[in-house]
Structures are given as C-alpha cells and as structure tokens.
Amino acid sequence: EPIAALDEACRLLGVRGRVLPSTIEPVVLKAEAAGGPVTGQVAVSGTDRIQRVSLVPADPPAPPEALAALAEADQIVLGPGSLFTSVLAAVAVPQILEGLNRASAQRVYVCNLRPQENETAGFDVAMHVAALLDHGVTVDRVVCDSAGIGIGSLQLPVVDLALARPNGRAHDPARLAQTLSDLLG
C-alpha cells in the first residue's frame, strides 16, 4: 500500500503533515510540444516549447485520501517545482484537477526562482500562470521572486518577495513558509 508506506516514511523522518500522491496507478507523462509528441518524464523535461502535458492512461484514479485533503484544505500550494513535469503532471489526474478547482481553499502558485532549462526557457511568471490556465488550473494568488524571473502581465494578485536561499538555487523554506502563512491571514 503506497499511501501507508508514505505515511510511515513521514513518521520516520518526523515530517509534519502528510505526503499524498495524485495517483497510485502506474502512469507515463506525455507532452505535446512544437516538435511533436514526447513520452516519459525525462524526455519531457528535456523538451522545449511544451504546449500540453497529459498522462497515459489518461484517467487514472486519485486516492480518496488526496481528494479528501483537497476538500478539507485551507490553502493549496502548487509549486515550486518543474512546471510541466511536476506541477502540471500532478494535476493531470482528472479527479485531482476537479478536486483542486472545486476546493474552497485559497489556491497559491509558487513560481520557480528562474526559468528551467528547456522546460520553461524564456518563460516569465505570467507564462507559467498561462500554462496553468491552459491546463484548467485556476489559482487565486501567485508568489514569486522577481530577482531571477520576470513577472510579465498578470491579472492575479502577486506577492513578489526575496525568497531565495543565499546561494539563489532554492527557496528559503522559512521565508516561503512565512509568506504562505501570511497569505492565510
């Protein structure tokens, strides 16, 4: 049982909260890109000009625990992470996307600190949000650090703060946690 294994791993590591998968069924990530279809997460991550990602099979079941967590959440955080191979791959499960968009929780997209080679080369924050919308994902707010990525033109509230660790390679977990907490009021 994968969810029980995740729960045990979290317990052993002292993780607060719960880690839940979008599906426990074996799936393959597929992308439609300007150069044609690409299959497999590694191949997709090395592809540029991605237009859409999906899963094969297209409609794997979502675990009831994940759907319940979405329904009960006060805040749902999408990202940070690879836009197409992490964030959009997780919501490519139709039940997860429906649960996300039906949730009464505040939906926050945390943009990566900078464009990712190949996958989002040349993207600004607005292009990230446009890709979310193209995949049916709606968010209420966007959190970013414009020191490494331009914002572009957005119609959503944007929280732009210095969120990077001193080396600039990853988000500072304490700053990001405080920012997300502040958004809840």
Side-chain angles (χ1 to χ4, degrees):
E1 161 78 42
I3 293 178
L6 283 169
D7 287 343
E8 180 62 11
C10 288
R11 185 190 70 74
L12 292 171
L13 295 170
V15 173
R16 289 179 42 193
R18 197 166 186 206
V19 176
L20 295 166
S22 291
T23 185
I24 58 172
E25 298 296 318
V27 295
V28 175
L29 186 64
K30 180 179 176 183
E32 296 299 328
V38 180
T39 303
Q41 184 175 358
V42 172
V44 172
S45 70
T47 300
D48 62 356
R49 298 179 295 150
I50 297 170
Q51 297 154 352
R52 174 158 302 284
V53 293
S54 59
L55 299 174
V56 177
D59 195 10
E65 297 91 338
L67 297 174
L70 289 170
E72 297 167 8
D74 294 322
Q75 185 180 65
I76 300 169
V77 180
L78 299 165
S82 301
L83 177 62
F84 292 101
T85 55
S86 292
V87 176
L88 289 170
V91 297
V93 175
Q95 289 177 311
I96 295 294
L97 179 60
E98 291 167 18
L100 170 68
N101 287 331
R102 218 180 15 247
S104 61
Q106 178 186 70
R107 292 172 298 247
V108 180
Y109 176 60
V110 178
C111 194
N112 280 351
L113 295 171
R114 61 191 168 284
Q116 187 174 347
E117 190 175 329
N118 294 328
E119 197 170 316
T120 56
F123 275 43
D124 60 19
V125 176
M127 293 169 81
H128 279 248
V129 173
L132 293 172
L133 291 171
D134 286 347
H135 285 78
V137 177
T138 57
V139 295
D140 303 306
R141 296 185 187 269
V142 176
V143 172
C144 68
D145 180 340
S146 63
I149 187 169
I151 296 176
S153 179
L154 282 169
Q155 303 302 315
L156 293 169
V158 176
V159 176
D160 178 15
L161 296 170
L163 295 170
R165 289 182 174 179
N167 68 11
R169 293 184 173 170
H171 285 85
D172 179 288
R175 285 190 207 146
L176 183 55
Q178 185 61 57
T179 300
L180 293 170
S181 178
D182 290 348
L183 287 176
L184 280 174

